[in-house]
Amino acid sequence: MAPIGLLLSLLCAALLVVVPAAATPVWCFAQLEEEGGGGACANPLGDEPVPLADCCLNPAYGYKHRPHGHCHTCRQGAWGPWGPWSGCSVTCGEGTQRRGRSRDAPGDDRRAWQLRACHLPCCPEAGGWSPWSPWGKCSATCGAGTQGRSRACADPAPRCGGGCSPGGAQETRVCQGGPPTCPVGGGWGAWGPWGSCGGTCEGAGPKPRRSRSRRCDSPPPSTDPPGPACPGNAVDAQPCPALPPCPVDGAWGAWSATAPCPVTCGLGAVTWRRACNAPPPQHGGRGCHGNSVKQGVCGPHGPCPAVPHWGPWGEWTPCERPLWGAQSCEPAVGQQRRTRECVGRKPGGPPCRAEGGVATIQIRACYNVHHCLLPGNWSDWSPWGLCTPPCGPSPTRSRARECQPIYPAYPLTVTPVGSAAPVNVTFWGSARPRCPRLEGQLLRLEERRPCLHALPCPAPEED
């Protein structure tokens, strides 16, 4: 029976997350640009989301669950590109990052995940308090007052965002401020006349206001010793009376399409217009700000025909010589071939486009070294692999050194009979290399370590 840990690893590594059904609102795109095995959504169909099933009536379209989210393809069963790596799970030291991709089928999206280790160099270190400064001057010149002293978190200073030990940077105490005679407080004089109004009209917002002032001179505060100022405000304000109405700015009305939908299947793009009439500008108000024209979505009009595309290349056939069969472990140039199919083509429909002159078959020259005994050398350590399982407990990562064969010094290019141009020759087959024993191993030496601070996989609604 397989160990429980291995079963959990296999189960979590193949984790697929089911997202909501085909009625889920998505942002639809009329073009899916394939780049290096991934994809990017282009030419959005409008500014608002549409049902997933409507968008994917055309299998050449793509969609996103959020305007700036991951790009999915409407093509049945195709893997989308890997999304960006998340931030590190820790603020210092060793943690993990996660990324995902989707295998899309309209109404039944599935996700796969990868997890890798990450390192951030600096961890927080707490600082220490410096000695207290001398007590400062008393705040009062008569009667009781306060005085303070301070210290700094600099002995030593904190590093990498660390704090300081418990306690405060400031401290106060009561002090005697001198003679018992205290200053005389000031008193307000009469209000002055109202000033000019702060506006010339009255609208829907706050009304313009006017103000008046008074002086603290009945009596003024004493100066020796200094007396407290008058309590309250020196300025009073009120709304201005009897003002004319203010200008009204214009606002946009509803959008309306300018032409019929240009497609007969799936969704299409249409131009929408709006007018500045809800309300129009009044009393010298400003016009509407923004565009009066935008691109929107029209349809759906039923499913579109399948898009023909090339399937993956098959495996290379064994390396054989015509009329001779497989001749291994000798410098005899053989031949291999592999094929692929045009998926989704209907009778009489358009064919798949050839890429670089290659359509359904590839042929290459080869040397057959299958099961041949060859001398070997140990490789350098490989880079650390991904963390597995990507969504389970206690993920680990590994690296390895392998015994690699030293291939014979056969010519790596040959010129076929009847051809003026040379062709490349590749070695084919699983050779049997022999290396000196390394830490008790003959073919493969593996090192494994845990991935620290692993991130959990997100819930389906987070996609």
Side-chain angles (χ1 to χ4, degrees):
M1 181 179 294
I4 294 178
L6 177 59
L7 293 177
L8 288 175
S9 298
L10 294 174
L11 177 60
C12 293
L15 178 65
L16 298 175
V17 180
V18 178
V19 299
T24 303
V26 296
W27 279 260
C28 194
F29 295 81
Q31 185 175 358
L32 188 66
E33 301 172 347
E34 296 188 359
E35 300 173 351
C41 288
N43 295 342
L45 294 184
D47 302 325
E48 302 296 330
V50 299
L52 172 61
D54 291 349
C55 179
C56 286
L57 289 169
N58 191 329
Y61 283 6
Y63 63 93
K64 296 181 179 181
H65 289 289
R66 299 185 302 275
H68 303 290
H70 185 74
C71 180
H72 302 263
T73 175
C74 285
R75 186 179 299 163
Q76 179 76 20
W79 278 112
W82 285 108
W85 289 103
S86 69
C88 199
S89 64
V90 296
T91 57
C92 68
E94 181 176 327
T96 56
Q97 296 174 280
R98 183 195 64 248
R99 69 176 181 176
R101 66 173 179 175
S102 301
R103 184 176 178 88
D104 297 321
D108 184 21
D109 292 356
R110 294 179 290 172
R111 298 296 305 273
W113 303 101
Q114 287 183 338
L115 190 71
R116 72 178 183 186
C118 54
H119 299 268
L120 296 176
C122 191
C123 286
E125 294 182 14
W129 291 110
S130 66
W132 286 103
S133 68
W135 287 102
K137 186 178 180 180
C138 192
S139 63
T141 58
C142 71
T146 59
Q147 62 184 161
R149 63 178 182 175
S150 62
R151 59 181 178 176
C153 184
D155 191 16
R159 296 182 66 250
C160 304
C164 211
S165 56
Q170 304 288 333
E171 190 176 60
T172 60
R173 69 180 182 183
V174 176
C175 59
Q176 183 63 34
T181 303
C182 288
V184 176
W188 291 111
W191 287 104
W194 289 104
S196 60
C197 196
T200 59
C201 65
E202 182 177 335
K207 294 183 178 181
R209 301 173 70 82
R210 61 180 181 175
S211 64
R212 62 181 180 175
S213 63
R214 58 182 176 176
R215 300 181 64 182
C216 185
D217 57 3
S218 299
S222 61
T223 58
D224 187 18
C230 295
N233 298 322
V235 177
D236 182 27
Q238 68 174 199
C240 297
L243 293 177
C246 290
V248 177
D249 294 338
W252 291 111
W255 290 99
S256 60
T258 61
C261 193
V263 299
T264 58
C265 68
L267 297 177
V270 68
T271 300
W272 296 80
R273 294 186 183 275
R274 60 180 177 176
C276 186
N277 58 4
Q282 300 177 24
H283 309 300
R286 294 174 297 180
C288 296
H289 176 72
N291 297 326
S292 61
V293 179
K294 73 171 183 177
Q295 293 296 313
V297 176
C298 59
H301 298 288
C304 295
V307 178
H309 62 279
W310 288 113
W313 285 105
E315 297 291 334
W316 287 104
T317 61
C319 183
E320 297 181 345
R321 296 185 67 191
L323 305 180
W324 292 86
Q327 290 183 286
S328 60
C329 311
E330 58 183 70
V333 178
Q335 192 178 82
Q336 296 174 273
R337 66 178 57 198
R338 65 178 182 175
T339 60
R340 63 179 178 176
E341 295 183 355
C342 181
V343 180
R345 182 184 182 187
K346 293 185 177 181
C352 292
R353 181 172 59 88
E355 301 167 356
V358 178
T360 60
I361 188 170
Q362 282 185 335
I363 298 175
R364 71 178 182 184
C366 55
Y367 294 118
N368 191 330
V369 294
H370 195 52
H371 292 167
C372 297
L373 293 175
L374 298 177
N377 282 329
W378 284 102
S379 69
D380 294 330
W381 283 108
S382 67
W384 285 103
L386 298 172
C387 299
T388 58
C391 297
S394 305
T396 60
R397 55 183 176 142
S398 65
R399 64 177 183 173
R401 296 182 67 181
E402 295 186 349
C403 179
Q404 297 180 340
I406 301 174
Y407 290 107
Y410 297 163
L412 297 182
T413 59
V414 296
T415 302
V417 176
S419 174
V423 296
N424 295 327
V425 187
T426 185
F427 288 94
W428 174 85
S430 299
R432 298 166 60 187
R434 291 186 174 182
C435 293
R437 190 180 295 270
L438 181 63
E439 296 185 20
Q441 302 299 317
L442 291 176
L443 294 178
R444 178 182 173 85
L445 177 63
E446 186 174 15
E447 182 181 14
R448 185 173 291 273
R449 67 172 54 176
C451 294
L452 305 180
H453 307 291
L455 290 167
C457 284
E461 59 269 16
E462 295 183 35
D463 178 24

